Amino acid sequence: MKQITSGTEIVLLGTAGGPRLRTNRAGIASAVVVGDALYLVDFGYGACRQSKLAGLDLGHLRAGFVTHLHSDHIADLANLLLFGWYENLENVTRPVRLYGPGSRGRVAAPSADLRAQDVVCPDDPMPGFAATIGHLTQAFATDINDRMRDNGRSHPGRLLAAYDIELPASVPFDPETAAAPPMDPLTVYRDDRVEVTAVLVQHAPMSPAYAFRFDTADGSVVFSGDTGVCDNVITLATGADVLVHEVIDEQWVQRTHGAVDTPRARATIAHHTTAHTPIPDVGRVAQKAGVGTLVLNHLVPAQIDRPRWHEAGEHFTGRLIVGEDLERIPLVP
């Protein structure tokens, strides 16, 4: 790796989990800044505005990574596509490489005893990441074609290139029965500043879903993405300096949904308790991985009267940070 003298830092652009509009936190998005190179992880609502508030220059963006295709992680991709022109994205010397999950392959069965709904877009009901970018471009074709002709803007294909992460045949992934089988980290991207590796994580039925690790000359950071407790995360994070991990208040889940016995409530509890990581378990994951710093991110709920986030520290002996929007964290303190 090329030595970066100015240091490497993590910027928490938005720290709220879930598809809700919040007054105190933006949607989930993070940045890794390595010298003058910028990398983004997830594009929750407000990600582009938060980048602006953080003083980050999209003209320095080299690559972006999407952990999974839930709306709260990709809502701002359209703004990157449509507003990036005017935020120095045209200054990139080659297309920014964007990576995300491929197609699940088939629509998941309804959870618990929920009634099956009609499928939207039956001709392409489960597009992967690259196809999703293609569909966004098509949806905004009127604007894009007008901007290119009226404002002289570049074709989006010169600025952004989207790729599905391809799993090797040796990984026995199955969206129904093996959403996160044990696997060795897979190299997704490499340049003179970073090497980015990934593993599958447990966020079924939304799958494939990934965690990402950035290794730099200054150290390493792992982003868990959305996941339940998952051994692959521990594998990926072992020896890392910083683990940025999602977290859910499991007591809040029971208070909010446990009093009503309906199919929707049961499905909600099942999702929250299996596809996300409770507060005590986040600390245990970080402890097993041996990381120096644990950063709590993708907070669910994002607004709460009785926050318990600090309790993750009861199971972790390193430094604990409860993430806040626009917080900057040096990779190595």
Side-chain angles (χ1 to χ4, degrees):
M1 296 286 177
K2 182 178 179 181
Q3 183 62 44
I4 308 304
T5 57
S6 58
T8 298
E9 66 176 354
I10 303 148
V11 186
L12 304 180
L13 300 175
T15 56
R20 294 178 180 271
L21 300 175
R22 303 293 186 183
T23 60
N24 63 331
R25 296 179 187 269
I28 190 68
S30 304
V32 179
V33 183
V34 188
D36 61 356
L38 172 64
Y39 309 87
L40 297 178
V41 181
D42 283 330
F43 295 82
Y45 77 89
C48 291
R49 182 174 185 270
Q50 294 294 98
S51 296
K52 186 83 168 181
L53 291 173
L56 304 179
D57 186 346
L58 291 182
H60 293 163
L61 181 62
R62 293 195 180 187
F65 304 86
V66 167
T67 59
H68 64 290
L69 297 178
H70 267 147
S71 58
D72 56 321
H73 291 250
I74 63 171
D76 233 43
L77 280 172
N79 285 334
L80 179 69
L81 174 68
L82 301 173
F83 297 172
W85 277 321
Y86 305 95
E87 297 298 331
N88 297 329
L89 196 59
E90 292 229 50
N91 294 341
V92 298
T93 57
R94 63 174 180 81
V96 174
R97 300 175 73 87
L98 303 175
Y99 297 88
S103 173
R104 188 183 191 278
R106 56 190 182 274
V107 176
S111 299
D113 52 351
L114 291 178
R115 181 176 61 86
Q117 302 280 351
D118 291 338
V119 174
V120 303
C121 303
D123 293 337
D124 190 13
M126 301 297 292
F129 176 69
T132 296
I133 296 295
H135 292 323
L136 281 175
T137 303
Q138 182 178 9
F140 290 100
T142 297
D143 174 89
I144 292 169
N145 283 318
D146 180 78
R147 301 292 185 188
M148 289 193 295
R149 284 152 180 80
D150 187 46
N151 298 169
R153 296 297 168 177
S154 298
H155 191 287
R158 192 188 74 77
L159 308 181
L160 301 171
Y163 302 90
D164 290 344
I165 297 171
E166 295 187 9
L167 287 167
S170 59
V171 177
F173 166 76
D174 183 278
E176 306 293 346
T177 62
M183 64 176 291
D184 294 327
L186 170 69
T187 298
V188 174
Y189 174 88
R190 181 188 292 113
D191 64 19
D192 64 324
R193 303 296 177 86
V194 301
E195 179 177 5
V196 181
T197 50
V199 293
L200 290 165
V201 297
Q202 178 56 51
H203 196 50
M206 175 56 75
S207 59
Y210 290 97
F212 295 108
R213 174 171 175 150
F214 290 72
D215 284 293
T216 79
D218 295 318
S220 54
V221 55
V222 171
F223 296 88
S224 74
D226 283 12
T227 181
V229 176
C230 181
D231 287 342
N232 281 345
V233 174
I234 297 171
T235 297
L236 188 68
T238 295
D241 296 284
V242 179
L243 172 60
V244 182
H245 203 295
E246 72 120 82
V247 64
I248 191 168
D249 184 335
E250 73 285 358
Q251 294 181 10
W252 169 84
V253 173
Q254 294 299 329
R255 288 198 308 270
T256 305
H257 302 286
V260 180
D261 187 20
T262 65
R264 178 178 290 182
R266 290 193 294 272
T268 300
I269 291 173
H271 170 75
H272 284 342
T273 55
T274 62
H276 294 285
T277 305
I279 293 171
D281 288 331
V282 174
R284 294 186 181 103
V285 167
Q287 188 70 18
K288 289 180 180 178
V291 300
T293 298
L294 170 62
V295 180
L296 302 185
N297 199 19
H298 192 277
L299 305 175
V300 177
Q303 292 173 289
I304 189 169
D305 294 333
R306 293 175 284 173
R308 303 172 42 242
W309 311 122
H310 65 280
E311 293 181 17
E314 296 175 6
H315 306 277
F316 175 60
T317 56
R319 180 175 66 145
L320 175 66
I321 297 174
V322 179
E324 296 289 345
D325 284 16
L326 302 179
E327 187 168 3
R328 307 180 88 99
I329 303 167
L331 185 54
V332 179

